[in-house]
Amino acid sequence: MDQAEQLRNIIKKQTRHHHLARVITVTSGKGGVGKSNISLNLAIQLSKLGKKVVIFDADFGLANIEVMLGIRPGYNLSDVIFKGKNVNEIITSGPGNIGFVSGGSGVNELINLNSDQIHLLVNVLYELDNIADIIIIDTGAGISENVMEMILSSSEILLVTTPEPASITDAYALLKTLKHKEGYDKDILKIHVLGNRTQNIDEGRDLFFKLDSVAEKFLGMDLDFLGSVPFDNLLLKSVMKQRPVSLAFPNSPSSRAIQELAIILENNSSRRITAAASGLSGLFTKIIKNRNR
């Protein structure tokens, strides 16, 4: 029995008895568009709505979330397997009643596990699903293999881009790469688009229509406009303070915009593609399955 089959069998036995968190994977076509800032502040705003939120920092090797918070976690996901840590030990408490988990050096560490290690991995992922209502995955930027694996294994992604032509072009490049990947299913993957650092909502809509029109014409993809976050000097100031803008300046333009995004996502939760929702445990199952093809 191969690794993916072992993982599927374990999950089949446990699915009936476990809550599965909603997983939102936040990504971008290039670096420097504010993706991690969106992930962090969206988590805080969802927490303000009464949700238990955990960020999974999957920007392997860079650890943007911990740098932004000025907090260094003691352990990461791989420490569950290789150091015997439990789920509570790998969740670091963050501001605004959120938690975050560091992915460590990457998914590669989770390949070629033996049966006992697979059991440990699945158990901790299920515990994370039970603890959280929503898990936000902050991926690396660009179209690396690790990033594409995360996106392909997700059922709901948030694609962050800015009005800069290079950013829109890179976002399209990500969508084009995704379209031609084995395993991509437009009926399963919901793609939200978020405009960041816009001058106003109209610029955000223009940005979306530019991307949506070419994605529909050349890729046959159906995108969803989630909204936009305006350029905000107070957000830049909060970054220097290593304190999320949603807490440092809760009435700032960017904070209010992200609050609205959180409300929209929460209101749309009942209309998302629930058949594909399988929590963080299901997402990693798909990654391992795809790697064993």
Side-chain angles (χ1 to χ4, degrees):
M1 184 183 298
D2 66 17
Q3 185 189 44
E5 185 65 26
Q6 292 180 61
L7 198 49
R8 285 195 297 272
N9 288 341
I10 296 168
I11 283 180
K12 284 178 182 178
K13 293 177 183 178
Q14 298 191 36
T15 299
R16 298 177 188 173
H17 310 291
H18 287 79
H19 161 79
L20 294 174
R22 179 184 183 184
V23 178
I24 302 172
T25 301
V26 184
T27 193
S28 62
K30 67 186 289 288
V33 301
K35 170 186 58 62
S36 294
N37 240 315
I38 294 295
S39 296
L40 177 57
N41 286 284
L42 183 59
I44 291 170
Q45 295 293 354
L46 286 166
S47 177
K48 287 182 179 181
L49 295 177
K51 299 299 176 182
K52 295 179 181 178
V53 187
V54 173
I55 302 176
F56 179 67
D57 191 346
D59 196 348
F60 304 122
L62 294 179
N64 282 341
I65 299 298
E66 60 186 79
V67 171
M68 290 171 61
L69 293 176
I71 300 173
R72 185 174 179 83
Y75 304 103
N76 58 56
L77 182 60
S78 64
D79 289 327
V80 171
I81 299 165
F82 302 113
K83 294 184 180 179
K85 300 302 175 181
N86 62 45
V87 65
N88 291 317
E89 290 177 298
I90 66 167
I91 298 177
T92 301
S93 295
N97 295 318
I98 66 169
F100 71 95
V101 174
S102 171
S105 60
V107 177
N108 291 331
E109 292 182 334
L110 307 180
I111 302 305
N112 298 321
L113 303 179
N114 61 39
S115 180
D116 289 340
Q117 290 171 329
I118 290 173
H119 275 273
L120 281 173
L121 173 61
V122 173
N123 285 335
V124 75
L125 293 177
Y126 265 116
E127 288 184 61
L128 276 171
D129 278 330
N130 275 318
I131 289 170
D133 296 313
I134 300 172
I135 296 173
I136 294 178
I137 299 179
D138 184 44
T139 74
I143 55 176
S144 70
E145 202 59 37
N146 277 336
V147 171
M148 298 312 297
E149 281 183 323
M150 283 286 177
I151 294 174
L152 278 170
S153 300
S154 303
S155 59
E156 187 173 14
I157 74 167
L158 176 53
L159 176 59
V160 180
T161 185
T162 71
E164 296 177 5
S167 179
I168 299 173
T169 299
D170 288 331
Y172 177 77
L174 183 147
L175 293 172
K176 184 177 179 180
T177 302
L178 177 63
K179 166 73 175 182
H180 294 100
K181 283 284 185 179
E182 183 180 0
Y184 166 71
D185 188 339
K186 67 177 183 179
D187 295 324
I188 292 179
L189 183 58
K190 180 72 172 179
I191 304 175
H192 305 288
V193 176
L194 170 64
N196 194 27
R197 300 175 187 157
T198 61
Q199 293 301 314
N200 48 53
I201 188 65
D202 289 335
E203 185 175 43
R205 290 188 183 279
D206 288 344
L207 179 161
F208 170 74
F209 288 134
K210 288 176 184 177
L211 185 59
D212 184 53
S213 61
V214 292
E216 182 179 10
K217 180 177 181 179
F218 298 108
L219 303 177
M221 284 182 157
D222 182 24
L223 308 180
D224 167 62
F225 178 55
L226 185 64
S228 63
V229 177
F231 178 84
D232 186 358
N233 283 319
L234 288 176
L235 188 148
L236 300 179
K237 188 174 181 179
S238 74
V239 170
M240 297 302 295
K241 290 175 173 287
Q242 289 185 303
R243 183 162 170 78
V245 69
S246 295
L247 298 177
F249 305 103
N251 294 316
S252 67
S254 57
S255 293
R256 293 197 302 269
I258 297 172
Q259 181 182 43
E260 291 178 9
L261 298 177
I263 292 171
I264 292 170
L265 281 172
E266 179 54 24
N267 288 340
N268 288 342
S269 62
S270 61
R271 296 193 291 273
R272 66 194 177 90
I273 305 173
T274 54
S278 55
L280 191 63
S281 50
L283 183 146
F284 271 88
T285 303
K286 292 175 187 176
I287 289 176
I288 293 175
K289 177 183 176 182
N290 290 336
R291 287 201 173 190
N292 280 276
R293 281 179 176 174

